[in-house]
């Protein structure tokens, strides 16, 4: 029985056609590219971020930090960002450590490709997010907000 499953798996693997494409990532809270994804595509990017402020006694671990990108057209993508944060507060004594976990505010947005031509090697996109106060008081701003970025890249 195991031999039949093994042979069937190999046949299925060899008969599959694969499509390869280059992806350009927008790692949440790390970098934003000037490219949009193709129309009808969905791209999910996730990662881990460790944040420590020099003078603060707070360390934060964002895991997972997730970005959903949905291609509406070849020049417009819809974006959803959310993060789960583990905050560690450390006092002056080692005995005083408090760990709090929760979800950060939800961000909804879009990226608009403003310039992308084969003749020139510069790309420009406008990125905008609305921050919706969905988090608890410990992890959110309790107010609506807007994040706007102009993303520019140049290939040499």
């Amino acid at each position: 029985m195991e031999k039949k499953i093994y042979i069937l798996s190999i046949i299925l693997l060899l008969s599959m056609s694969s499509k390869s494409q280059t992806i350009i990532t927008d790692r949440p809270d790390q970098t934003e590219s000037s490219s949009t994804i193709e129309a009808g595509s969905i791209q999910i990017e996730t990662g881990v971020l460790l944040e420590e402020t020099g003078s603060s006694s707070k360390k934060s671990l964002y895991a997972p930090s997730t970005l959903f990108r949905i291609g509406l057209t070849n020049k417009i993508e819809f974006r959803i960002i959310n993060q789960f944060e583990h905050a560690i507060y450390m006092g002056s004594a080692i005995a005083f450590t408090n760990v709090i976990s929760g979800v950060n505010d939800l961000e909804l947005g879009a990226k608009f490709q403003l310039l992308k031509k084969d003749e020139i090697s510069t790309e420009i996109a406008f990125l905008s997010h609305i921050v919706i106060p969905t988090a608890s008081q410990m992890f959110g701003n309790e107010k609506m907000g807007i994040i706007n970025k102009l993303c520019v890249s140049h290939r040499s």
Side-chain angles (χ1 to χ4, degrees):
M1 181 67 173
E2 284 183 35
K3 196 173 191 177
K4 288 181 183 180
I5 292 174
Y6 180 72
I7 292 171
L8 182 61
S9 298
I10 290 175
I11 291 170
L12 286 173
L13 183 64
L14 294 174
S15 66
M16 291 164 86
S17 65
S18 65
K19 177 186 172 190
S20 114
Q21 69 181 41
T22 303
I23 65 168
I24 298 174
T25 61
D26 282 1
R27 273 278 292 120
D29 291 333
Q30 298 292 312
T31 184
E32 305 291 352
S33 73
S34 58
S35 298
T36 55
I37 62 172
E38 293 180 18
S41 297
I42 297 175
Q43 187 168 310
I44 301 170
E45 302 173 16
T46 189
V48 175
L49 176 67
L50 179 61
E51 178 182 71
E52 181 178 352
T53 354
S55 61
S56 176
S57 60
K58 178 186 175 191
K59 295 180 183 180
S60 293
L61 173 68
Y62 300 94
S65 177
T66 305
L67 167 64
F68 295 91
R69 300 170 70 187
I70 302 164
L72 302 179
T73 70
N74 285 340
K75 294 186 177 234
I76 301 172
E77 69 181 42
F78 178 69
R79 303 162 61 88
I80 303 168
I81 299 176
N82 210 335
Q83 305 181 103
F84 191 82
E85 181 180 354
H86 305 277
I88 303 167
Y89 296 90
M90 297 166 47
S92 56
I94 295 176
F96 176 71
T97 301
N98 191 13
V99 179
I100 301 171
S101 298
V103 177
N104 291 112
D105 289 334
L106 179 68
E107 295 180 29
L108 300 177
K111 185 190 288 186
F112 304 92
Q113 185 84 60
L114 302 176
L115 175 67
K116 183 177 183 177
K117 294 183 179 177
D118 291 332
E119 307 86 56
I120 60 174
S121 46
T122 302
E123 280 186 14
I124 301 173
F126 178 72
L127 175 66
S128 185
H129 285 145
I130 296 173
V131 181
I132 302 170
T134 55
S136 66
Q137 185 178 11
M138 293 295 292
F139 296 103
N141 292 323
E142 298 179 350
K143 293 182 182 176
M144 295 278 292
I146 296 179
I147 300 169
N148 294 313
K149 297 178 183 179
L150 186 63
C151 306
V152 180
S153 67
H154 182 76
R155 293 183 311 272
S156 50

